[in-house]
Amino acid sequence: MKHDKVMNVAKKRGFLWSSFEIYAGVAGFYDYGPLGAILKNSIIQKWRKYYIVGEGFYEIESPTVMPEEALKASGHVDHFTDPMTECKDCLEVYRADHIIEEVINRDVESLSNEKLTEIISNEKIACPKCGGHLSHVWNYNLMFQTLIGAKGKKTGYMRPETAQGIFIQFKRLLRFFRGKLPFGVVQIGKAYRNEISPRQGVIRLREFTQAEAEIFVDPKDKTHAKFPEIKDKMLKLYPAEIQMAEGDSIEISALDALAEGLVSSEILIYQLYIASKFLKEIGIPDEVIRFRQHLPAEMAHYAIDCWDVEVYTERYGWVEIIGIADRTDFDLKSHSKHSKEELSVFVEYDEPKQIKKLALKPNMGKFGPSFKGDAPKILKELENIQLKTVKDTIENEGAFKLQIEDKSFELLPEHVSFEEVEETVRGKKIFPHVIEPSYGIDRIIFSVLLHTFTEDKENEREYFKLPKDIAPVEVNVFPLLNKEELRNIAIQIKDNLRKEGLIAEFDASGTIGRRYARSDEIGVPFAITVDHESLEDKKVTIRNRDDLKQKRVPISNISTILDDLMNYRVEFEDIK
């Protein structure tokens, strides 16, 4: 099985290792070995080029530990859960929807706990470990809880996503972008989910790396300046309607997908295209990529439209590696409500408008003495309430009741009066909507390794056909024979290339054939061989990994040639 071959090479050659192996390991954690760490950083740097350089976004970095109140506001404390079931005999726990899917081969992810319990009972699904009876299904919160401070009086959690750190700093970010929409902010870093029973290797981790962009836009303007450039690009979409009809994904242009209402906005479909282009550049072919729209039952209640970028895998089927969503204004509104901070944006009209509005006028002779030090808080709270509602309630019921924190107040006719006023309005306050592409870096790396792994039967070799610009080692330098005069030249070339910023390695162990095989296996795109002729003509042989072709080039030109090759300025066959 290709999956097993890939993981064997990844483990043997230093891409991925199970964590804590000498202590029997812990499920849901992986280490990146020397080659894996470089590959990961190269992919992240390419992502930065797309979103920071290409799209003009800026990056921030926030803490991985968050206080409970912030995650209460975001909804994670109450709703960040998975369905759990427990074996009544051996007490092993499982994620209920996953164990059901494995047995009956049906997607049940969006079903209620009651329905999942019913399926377990009706289908007589038993514990995979001991065959015992499984319990009813209940919700299990996925966050890692911790205590902040030496006395442990403040509850915190390891962040479940990087996005919340961006939303919380919205006021400062808005000032940084001079109060103008749209703008984008990215964050790359660790996130944590205490998965119930992670059994899918790198696909389901308890600690993982996210690369997320939060793009703040005017709710009434979700166009994109670059959409005309990508309108004819073809995408493989799997819309909700077709899924429910049990149909297949469709190939459709960005323009037609928008015109037919399959995708909700230009900016959202532009993000689908960006994701497709990025994945292709890091070695994942189009034929194993699709964009699956969330079904109504799995769509987050605050979202307008959500798409998962999925990659096909031999072992796990279609796997989500990127999520792209229109989160509307849910996050900013929620944090604004819980923090009592203004997280809206003032959007100017093209032309000022004259409007009539209802105004509230406090009778300070009664208002002040009645509410004393709470008077300013009450007036501020009234700014967020429809005044017509306040007026009608006082007129019909004699009083308007107000709850601020743990205090209750009653507004009587003697406290306030209302009048209609005309004023010039230059704009209005809005809560921006948020478009979010969220990349799961670890799953992407697994997909890259899986889909670049090449079995070349003709030349009896297996290797990672990694794109040149993300390969962990860029060039290997070999002496044809392990002789001092050849070794010295090879080492000097390697040292010079490293001074030029290339990751170059020297290898003189075994035959030249074995060295080429080792180099190919880990995806090194080029190999340089020093032979006896090099002593006379000052030239070396450069070998291309993918087609095994070789060219003789001057030693003095090597760094320039490799730089051109690595940056796609020249193809190997065009080297002179």
Side-chain angles (χ1 to χ4, degrees):
M1 197 174 191
K2 186 177 180 181
H3 172 276
D4 295 330
K5 288 182 178 180
V6 169
M7 294 309 292
N8 284 338
V9 175
K11 186 175 183 179
K12 179 182 72 173
R13 298 304 306 273
F15 285 94
L16 293 167
W17 295 327
S18 297
S19 298
F20 319 114
E21 279 185 308
I22 64 172
Y23 295 105
V26 179
F29 295 94
Y30 265 82
D31 286 8
Y32 285 90
L35 297 182
I38 299 174
L39 176 63
K40 180 179 181 179
N41 288 329
S42 296
I43 288 173
I44 288 173
Q45 281 304 109
K46 182 174 273 290
W47 191 90
R48 282 190 170 104
K49 284 181 182 177
Y50 264 73
Y51 283 93
I52 296 175
V53 179
E55 297 302 307
F57 299 165
Y58 277 83
E59 182 176 356
I60 71 164
E61 183 176 318
S62 58
T64 58
V65 177
M66 300 186 71
E68 184 175 43
E69 53 267 35
L71 292 166
K72 184 80 173 172
S74 68
H76 286 88
V77 171
D78 297 322
H79 304 296
F80 192 63
T81 59
D82 272 345
M84 179 192 274
T85 183
E86 182 180 50
C87 176
K88 295 177 181 178
D89 297 333
C90 71
L91 303 183
E92 187 64 65
V93 294
Y94 302 96
R95 181 165 162 177
D97 53 342
H98 286 181
I99 203 168
I100 290 170
E101 287 167 7
E102 288 172 12
V103 174
I104 68 173
N105 195 27
R106 185 176 128 214
D107 183 8
V108 295
E109 190 171 332
S110 57
L111 298 184
S112 67
N113 289 347
E114 291 75 16
K115 188 64 181 173
L116 295 174
T117 301
E118 184 183 316
I119 294 171
I120 288 173
S121 176
N122 292 344
E123 298 288 340
K124 295 181 171 53
I125 297 173
C127 171
K129 185 176 179 182
C130 74
H133 293 286
L134 296 176
S135 71
H136 70 281
V137 177
W138 74 96
N139 283 336
Y140 166 77
N141 194 288
L142 294 172
M143 289 193 293
F144 283 97
Q145 191 179 61
T146 187
L147 297 173
I148 300 172
K151 293 184 178 180
K153 290 183 178 179
K154 192 171 186 64
T155 300
Y157 295 92
M158 305 301 289
R159 67 183 180 193
E161 61 179 10
T162 63
Q164 296 305 320
I166 297 174
F167 299 137
I168 289 167
Q169 290 290 4
F170 179 75
K171 280 181 74 172
R172 293 189 179 279
L173 289 166
L174 181 63
R175 195 174 300 125
F176 176 83
F177 286 98
R178 297 192 286 277
K180 300 294 183 183
L181 296 175
F183 64 83
V185 182
V186 308
Q187 184 161 199
I188 302 164
K190 295 284 190 179
Y192 306 84
R193 300 183 186 185
N194 197 9
E195 295 283 355
I196 295 168
S197 52
R199 294 180 293 160
Q200 295 179 313
V202 192
I203 296 299
R204 198 159 294 281
L205 296 174
R206 287 177 164 135
E207 177 186 281
F208 52 93
T209 300
Q210 284 186 316
E212 294 189 302
E214 309 303 323
I215 308 162
F216 299 93
V217 301
D218 187 329
K220 293 185 176 179
D221 183 9
K222 294 183 180 178
T223 57
H224 197 286
K226 295 180 183 177
F227 182 75
E229 299 172 23
I230 64 106
K231 63 184 176 64
D232 297 321
K233 300 293 184 182
M234 301 299 289
L235 297 168
K236 187 193 288 184
L237 302 187
Y238 196 23
E241 271 185 32
I242 293 178
Q243 292 175 59
M244 290 186 284
E246 298 185 352
D248 295 324
S249 55
I250 57 172
E251 291 271 351
I252 189 168
S253 72
L255 184 64
D256 289 342
L258 193 65
E260 294 179 24
L262 299 179
V263 184
S264 61
S265 65
E266 282 187 11
I267 192 167
L268 194 65
I269 203 165
Y270 178 77
Q271 290 304 320
L272 299 187
Y273 165 73
I274 286 288
S276 169
K277 187 175 180 222
F278 174 79
L279 293 177
K280 190 174 180 180
E281 279 197 16
I282 59 173
I284 303 175
D286 283 338
E287 55 265 29
V288 299
I289 300 171
R290 76 176 183 187
F291 299 86
R292 187 187 70 83
Q293 189 176 36
H294 282 204
L295 294 167
E298 63 179 315
M299 186 89 74
H301 66 88
Y302 52 79
I304 291 174
D305 201 5
C306 294
W307 292 80
D308 287 342
V309 186
E310 297 182 328
V311 167
Y312 186 76
T313 66
E314 183 183 49
R315 172 163 292 186
Y316 307 118
W318 289 100
V319 172
E320 174 203 352
I321 61 173
I322 303 169
I324 299 175
D326 185 332
R327 297 178 68 127
T328 67
D329 55 12
F330 170 81
D331 298 281
L332 292 180
K333 271 188 175 177
S334 185
H335 282 297
S336 185
K337 178 183 174 183
H338 283 78
S339 67
K340 308 298 181 189
E341 290 284 344
E342 183 65 70
L343 300 181
S344 61
V345 177
F346 183 78
V347 177
E348 288 188 9
Y349 296 135
D350 293 335
E351 296 287 340
K353 296 180 181 180
Q354 293 293 125
I355 64 163
K356 290 181 179 180
K357 60 180 282 190
L358 195 64
L360 179 145
K361 189 175 180 182
N363 178 3
M364 295 313 293
K366 298 285 186 181
F367 196 92
S370 294
F371 303 116
K372 299 182 174 64
D374 292 315
K377 283 196 292 187
I378 293 171
L379 289 173
K380 186 169 179 60
E381 186 69 19
L382 287 169
E383 291 176 5
N384 301 319
I385 301 172
Q386 286 282 345
L387 289 185
K388 189 174 186 312
T389 303
V390 179
K391 181 174 181 288
D392 291 348
T393 304
I394 291 175
E395 288 176 354
N396 297 328
E397 300 175 17
F400 181 80
K401 292 179 181 177
L402 204 59
Q403 182 79 29
I404 302 176
E405 296 168 353
D406 57 347
K407 286 187 176 183
S408 296
F409 304 97
E410 198 170 60
L411 219 56
L412 302 175
E414 65 190 56
H415 293 139
V416 293
S417 61
F418 298 89
E419 61 180 347
E420 194 173 75
V421 297
E422 187 172 287
E423 64 178 41
T424 300
V425 179
R426 303 187 183 281
K428 63 178 180 178
K429 288 183 177 180
I430 63 161
F431 283 99
H433 280 199
V434 176
I435 309 298
E436 178 192 72
S438 176
Y439 287 61
I441 296 298
D442 308 279
R443 291 184 178 193
I444 288 172
I445 289 168
F446 168 76
S447 303
V448 167
L449 291 175
L450 183 67
H451 290 292
T452 60
F453 188 74
T454 304
E455 297 173 283
D456 181 358
K457 292 191 170 81
E458 183 183 345
N459 295 294
E460 297 181 345
R461 60 178 183 149
E462 295 176 343
Y463 66 102
F464 290 118
K465 194 174 181 178
L466 294 166
K468 294 176 285 192
D469 56 346
I470 65 167
V473 177
E474 293 158 315
V475 58
N476 271 327
V477 187
F478 308 134
L480 182 64
L481 299 172
N482 195 8
K483 293 188 175 181
E484 185 176 359
E485 61 270 28
L486 301 184
R487 285 171 58 92
N488 289 342
I489 295 174
I491 290 170
Q492 184 63 54
I493 291 171
K494 181 263 295 181
D495 290 343
N496 288 340
L497 291 174
R498 282 190 166 256
K499 287 177 186 175
E500 294 292 330
L502 290 168
I503 298 180
E505 290 293 347
F506 168 82
D507 185 3
S509 175
T511 65
I512 190 68
R514 293 287 294 169
R515 281 178 259 159
Y516 281 143
R518 285 197 297 268
S519 177
D520 290 347
E521 187 176 48
I522 62 171
V524 182
F526 304 106
I528 292 169
T529 305
V530 178
D531 55 28
H532 287 98
E533 289 181 32
S534 305
L535 301 171
E536 304 297 329
D537 63 8
K538 308 300 180 189
K539 291 183 179 181
V540 289
T541 300
I542 183 168
R543 172 184 177 272
N544 188 35
R545 174 199 65 201
D546 295 340
D547 58 14
L548 306 181
K549 289 182 179 176
Q550 300 184 2
K551 293 215 173 186
R552 195 84 176 157
V553 297
I555 293 174
S556 59
N557 289 357
I558 289 173
S559 62
T560 302
I561 290 168
L562 283 171
D563 186 62
D564 287 342
L565 286 168
M566 296 301 297
N567 289 288
Y568 298 93
R569 288 191 289 267
V570 66
E571 294 299 324
F572 190 82
E573 56 268 23
D574 297 325
I575 294 174
K576 295 179 181 178

